[in-house]
Amino acid sequence: MLEAYAERYRRDLVDAVIPFWLRHALDHEHGGYFTCLDRDGTVYDPRKYMWLQGRAVWMFARLYRELAPRDEWLAAARLGVDFIRRYGRDAEGRIFFSLTREGQPFFFQRKPYAAVFVQMGLFEYGLATGDQACLDEAVALFWRIVAWIEQPTLLGRPVLPGQVAVSQLADRLVVGMMALELARQLDDPRYDEVLRATVAGVLRHYDPAHRVFREVVAHDGRDLTALPEGRLFSPGHTIETVWILLQMLARNPDAQAQQVAFTALAGALELGWDTQYDGLFYFMDLAGRPTLQLEATMKLWWPHAEAIYALVLAYTLTREAHWLTWLERVDRYTYTHFVDPVHGEWFGYCDRRGDLALTSKGGNYKGFFHVPRALLFSLQAIDRMRD
Amino acid sequence: MLEAYAERYRRDLVDAVIPFWLRHALDHEHGGYFTCLDRDGTVYDPRKYMWLQGRAVWMFARLYRELAPRDEWLAAARLGVDFIRRYGRDAEGRIFFSLTREGQPFFFQRKPYAAVFVQMGLFEYGLATGDQACLDEAVALFWRIVAWIEQPTLLGRPVLPGQVAVSQLADRLVVGMMALELARQLDDPRYDEVLRATVAGVLRHYDPAHRVFREVVAHDGRDLTALPEGRLFSPGHTIETVWILLQMLARNPDAQAQQVAFTALAGALELGWDTQYDGLFYFMDLAGRPTLQLEATMKLWWPHAEAIYALVLAYTLTREAHWLTWLERVDRYTYTHFVDPVHGEWFGYCDRRGDLALTSKGGNYKGFFHVPRALLFSLQAIDRMRD
C-alpha cells in the first residue's frame, strides 16, 4: 500500500513540483530565486526573500545528493548560493530578510530564521560539491545562530522588563534541524550534545493534558497560560516537531521521548483536525479562546505536507495501521485541495471550508521547501522500509 | 429614512457598545483597558496595547464632550490617561506597543501608530477636562510623530539601500486625523497647512483607473506596480480616507478634491464588495494577483463601520439616493454578520462567506474605537442634516 504512495509522491516531485520551480523561480539575469509565483508561475513580486533562497538551495542540493545527481539541480542550487554569498549578508554577517531583485538590501528582520535557512543551504551545497569554504561558512553561521537565539539583542531586538524569557518551539526545531545535518556529517561530539539538549528542550514544550507541543513555554517553567502565546497550538508545528524529534532520537535513542513523539502526533491530528470541514487548522487556542491570529482557521499546505511525512515515518517505524488510516485522510485532503493538476506544485492557502483563498504557488513564506522535502523524505522512508 | 438609522445607531452605541466596554475593559486594579475580550467579555490576554489605550481614551473623552457629559465616561477616559502617562513611554518619550497588565514594557514597535492614538487620546482628554498639561503633551507629541513618519530611523527602523522612499496611505490618514482635531481647537495656522499638505498627499495615492486610493506610492512618483504593495488596495482604508478627506475639505474647500473623494467612495465599494458572498474584502491586488496577506478575503468589522459613516456623510453632503442604496446594503450586512445581539458590541472577523472566524470582540488590533466612532459620527451627521 505504501508503495503506491511512494510512486505517486515521486511522480509529483519529479514531474510536477521540481519542474514548476525550475521553470519559473530561477532568475538567470540577477541570480537567486523568485518565490512569489502565481498559479501559472507568473512572478508577482520580484524580491528575493532570504530564508526562501536558503531553503531552495538546500532542497536543490539535497535532491542532487540524494535523489539523482542531475546537473540541472546542482546548477539551480549554485544560482542561489552565489546570490546569497554576494548579497545576502550585512557587514556584520547577519542575514537580510529580503533584497530587491538585483540584490540590494530591502528589509532586515530581528529574527534568526533567514540565517537558519541560509546556513542549511550553504551546508548542503557544500556537501553536494565538496566546496570547503561553504561548509566552513555554514559551521560558523550555525554557532552564531545558536548565540542569536540565546541573545536576541544581538539581532537588535531589545529585551524589555515586562517580557518573560521564553523558549519558542520554532527555535528548538530549527536548531534541531541544523544540528542533525551537522552531526551526521562532521566528526564533532558537540552536535550530538546540541541534539540531546534540543530533545530535552522540545520535551519541555510537551503538554500531556492536550498531547501536543505548546508553541511557547517559559524558560523557568512558570505558567504562561494567561497569555495567548502560552496557550497557542499550531498543529503543523507539533507534527513537524514529531518527525524532527524522531530523527534526533534515531541518533540518540530514548524510548520515553519516542513515546511522547508518537503520542503528540496522534494528539495533534486529533485536536488539530477540523471535524466539520476536514483539514488541519493553522492555529488553535488550547483553552478554546480566540487566537490573535486572524488566519487561525485557514488550511495551509505546509501542515499537511508535514503530516504526510510524519505519518509515513511513524508507520515505517511502528507498522501500526492507525497511522495509515490518518495518512489516507491527510493525503486525500491534500491531493484534492492543494495539489494543482494543471500547472504543477501545490497551492498554499485555503479557507476553513477548503476553498482556495489565494491562487499563489509561492510567496514570501512559501517557496521550494515544504512540499519537495515532504515528498522526498516520504519516498525515502518508504524505500528504506522496503529494503 | 436616515432618522431610523440614527435612532438604531444611537441605541447600539449607548445601550450595547459602550456598556460592553465599560463592563469588561476597565482594569480598576492596574489601570488602563483590557482589549482582548471574548464574546462575553472574558479577558483572554491581559496585556495593555498602547494604541488601543489611546483610542479608548479618545473615544470615552469624545463621547463625554459630544454625546453626553456622563461622569462614568470621563472616569473611564481618566483610567487610560493615567496609565498612559505613568507607563506608556520610554525614556526618550517614544510610545511602547504593549505593556504587561501591570504596566511593564513588553514590546516596542518601530512604527508611529501607538503614538498617534496616544496623541489623540491625550488631546481629547485635555479638551474634555481643560487639563492644559495634557493638551501641551499632545501638541508636542504631534510634531514628534510628524518627524517620526518623515524619518523612520528615529524609531530605530533602518533605511536600507534597496528601499524606495514611499508614502503610506495610513501615514497620511493619521496625520490628517490628528491635524483635524488640532486645527479645530487651536488658533495656529500650521495645522491647516498640514491639512492642505495632507490633502495633496492623499490625492497622490489616487488611482483614477481603479477609482481607489493605493496603499503605497513612491515619493518621487515612480511606478511601484511591480511590487505587491504598489498594487495593494484596502477597501476599508480607501473608504476611511474618503471621510477624512471630506472632513479636511470642509475646512479648506476644494471642489475637485471633493469629487475625487466621492468617486473613490463609489469606486472602493464597487471594487471592494464581494459580489459572490457580500461584504467588503480586507485586501485586494489591483492587478488581480495574489496578495501577500493570507487574510485578504476575510470580512472585517472596521471596513464596514467606516463605510457606514462614509455613506451617511456622503448622503448628508449630496442628498444623492445611490449613497442610501449602498448604506442599506452595508448596514444590512453589518447588522446580520458582526453585531452581537446577546452580549453587545460587534464581532470582528468573518471569513469570506461571512461565517464567524473568531469569537473575539476585541484583540490587539480591535478596541473601543471604530465601532463607537462610526456610530457617533453617523448619528451626529444625521442630526446636523436635520437641524
Side-chain angles (χ1 to χ4, degrees), chain A residues 109 163 165 259 322 360 371:
Chain A
Q109 198 184 40
Q163 292 169 352
Q259 195 47 56
H322 63 110
S360 44
V371 172

Side-chain angles (χ1 to χ4, degrees), chain A residues 49-246:
Chain A
Y49 293 93
M50 287 306 294
W51 65 340
L52 300 183
Q53 305 295 309
R55 283 173 163 188
V57 168
W58 178 83
M59 197 68 239
F60 279 122
R62 183 68 152 240
L63 288 165
Y64 175 85
R65 209 160 61 81
E66 297 196 347
L67 193 65
R70 294 197 191 171
D71 290 342
E72 194 184 20
W73 297 350
L74 192 64
R78 188 179 313 119
L79 195 70
V81 167
D82 290 347
F83 188 85
I84 289 169
R85 287 176 135 174
R86 188 153 174 194
Y87 303 115
R89 291 167 286 208
D90 71 8
E92 298 170 51
R94 302 183 301 187
I95 310 294
F96 294 112
F97 179 77
S98 57
L99 305 163
T100 63
R101 180 183 173 186
E102 296 79 14
Q104 288 218 295
F106 186 86
F107 187 65
F108 175 73
Q109 198 184 40
R110 299 173 297 178
K111 294 183 177 176
Y113 306 115
V116 163
F117 294 101
V118 162
Q119 192 280 338
M120 291 190 67
L122 291 175
F123 192 67
E124 192 67 31
Y125 183 78
L127 295 177
T129 58
D131 181 330
Q132 189 61 43
C134 243
L135 295 171
D136 293 345
E137 276 178 65
V139 166
L141 189 52
F142 171 77
W143 292 107
R144 291 198 74 182
I145 292 166
V146 168
W148 289 336
I149 288 173
E150 278 171 19
Q151 254 190 285
T153 50
L154 294 173
L155 294 176
R157 209 175 178 79
V159 173
L160 297 175
Q163 292 169 352
V164 176
V166 296
S167 166
Q168 300 276 355
L169 185 59
D171 291 340
R172 305 287 77 76
L173 286 193
V174 296
V175 170
M177 256 195 283
M178 290 184 291
L180 260 172
E181 306 286 335
L182 294 162
R184 284 171 183 154
Q185 302 295 337
L186 304 176
D187 187 23
D188 182 337
R190 290 182 302 164
Y191 299 114
D192 275 309
E193 278 166 37
V194 170
L195 287 177
R196 280 187 289 267
T198 301
V199 168
V202 164
L203 293 179
R204 281 195 288 274
H205 284 258
Y206 185 64
D207 172 352
H210 294 93
R211 299 186 301 144
V212 303
F213 295 105
R214 290 181 182 267
E215 286 297 301
V216 176
V217 295
H219 276 312
D220 64 7
R222 88 177 75 170
D223 183 8
L224 294 181
T225 55
L227 298 172
E229 60 268 36
R231 302 187 302 265
L232 191 62
F233 160 51
S234 157
H237 241 176
T238 283
I239 292 167
E240 190 177 9
T241 302
V242 166
W243 70 250
I244 293 172
L245 195 52
L246 290 172

Side-chain angles (χ1 to χ4, degrees), chain A residues 36-40 42-47 49 96 100 104-110 157-158 160-164 226-229 231 277 282 288-298 300 349 351-353 355 357-360 363-364, chain B residues 36-40 42-47 49 96 100 104-110 157-158 160-164 226-229 231 277 282 288-298 300 349 351-353 355 357-360 363-364:
Chain A
C36 293
L37 303 175
D38 205 348
R39 180 178 186 180
D40 62 359
T42 306
V43 176
Y44 65 90
D45 178 354
R47 273 175 297 218
Y49 293 93
F96 294 112
T100 63
Q104 288 218 295
F106 186 86
F107 187 65
F108 175 73
Q109 198 184 40
R110 299 173 297 178
R157 209 175 178 79
L160 297 175
Q163 292 169 352
V164 176
L227 298 172
E229 60 268 36
R231 302 187 302 265
Y277 298 112
Y282 188 20
R289 292 290 166 202
T291 59
L292 294 175
Q293 291 82 1
L294 310 192
E295 65 276 21
T297 62
M298 289 179 73
L300 271 64
Y349 305 94
D351 65 16
R352 181 172 174 192
R353 297 203 195 207
D355 291 340
L358 295 169
T359 56
S360 44
N364 49 357
Chain B
C36 294
L37 304 175
D38 206 347
R39 180 177 185 180
D40 62 359
T42 305
V43 176
Y44 64 90
D45 178 354
R47 273 175 297 217
Y49 293 93
F96 293 112
T100 63
Q104 288 218 294
F106 186 86
F107 187 65
F108 176 73
Q109 197 185 41
R110 301 173 295 178
R157 206 175 181 80
L160 297 175
Q163 292 171 352
V164 176
L227 298 173
E229 60 268 37
R231 301 186 303 266
Y277 297 112
Y282 188 19
R289 292 289 165 203
T291 59
L292 293 176
Q293 292 82 1
L294 309 193
E295 64 275 22
T297 63
M298 289 179 73
L300 271 65
Y349 305 94
D351 66 15
R352 181 172 174 192
R353 297 203 195 206
D355 291 340
L358 295 170
T359 56
S360 43
N364 50 357

Side-chain angles (χ1 to χ4, degrees), chain B residues 170-309:
Chain B
D171 291 340
R172 306 287 77 75
L173 286 193
V174 296
V175 170
M177 257 195 283
M178 291 184 290
L180 260 172
E181 306 286 336
L182 294 161
R184 283 172 184 151
Q185 302 295 337
L186 304 176
D187 187 24
D188 184 335
R190 291 181 302 165
Y191 299 114
D192 275 309
E193 278 166 37
V194 170
L195 287 176
R196 279 187 290 267
T198 301
V199 169
V202 164
L203 293 178
R204 280 195 288 275
H205 283 258
Y206 185 64
D207 171 353
H210 295 93
R211 300 186 300 144
V212 302
F213 295 105
R214 289 179 184 267
E215 286 297 300
V216 176
V217 295
H219 277 312
D220 64 7
R222 87 176 74 169
D223 183 7
L224 293 182
T225 54
L227 298 173
E229 60 268 37
R231 301 186 303 266
L232 191 63
F233 160 51
S234 157
H237 240 176
T238 283
I239 291 167
E240 189 178 10
T241 302
V242 165
W243 70 250
I244 292 172
L245 196 52
L246 290 171
Q247 288 196 357
M248 293 194 287
L249 294 170
R251 290 189 62 82
N252 300 292
D254 175 334
Q256 208 176 339
Q258 196 179 40
Q259 194 47 56
V260 169
F262 290 128
T263 307
L265 180 55
L269 289 164
E270 285 162 27
L271 192 59
W273 191 261
D274 182 353
T275 53
Q276 198 174 352
Y277 297 112
D278 288 332
L280 290 163
F281 288 115
Y282 188 19
F283 289 113
M284 300 176 84
D285 181 290
L286 288 172
R289 292 289 165 203
T291 59
L292 293 176
Q293 292 82 1
L294 309 193
E295 64 275 22
T297 63
M298 289 179 73
K299 309 291 165 63
L300 271 65
W301 89 103
W302 70 263
H304 299 82
E306 298 301 321
I308 284 175
Y309 170 56

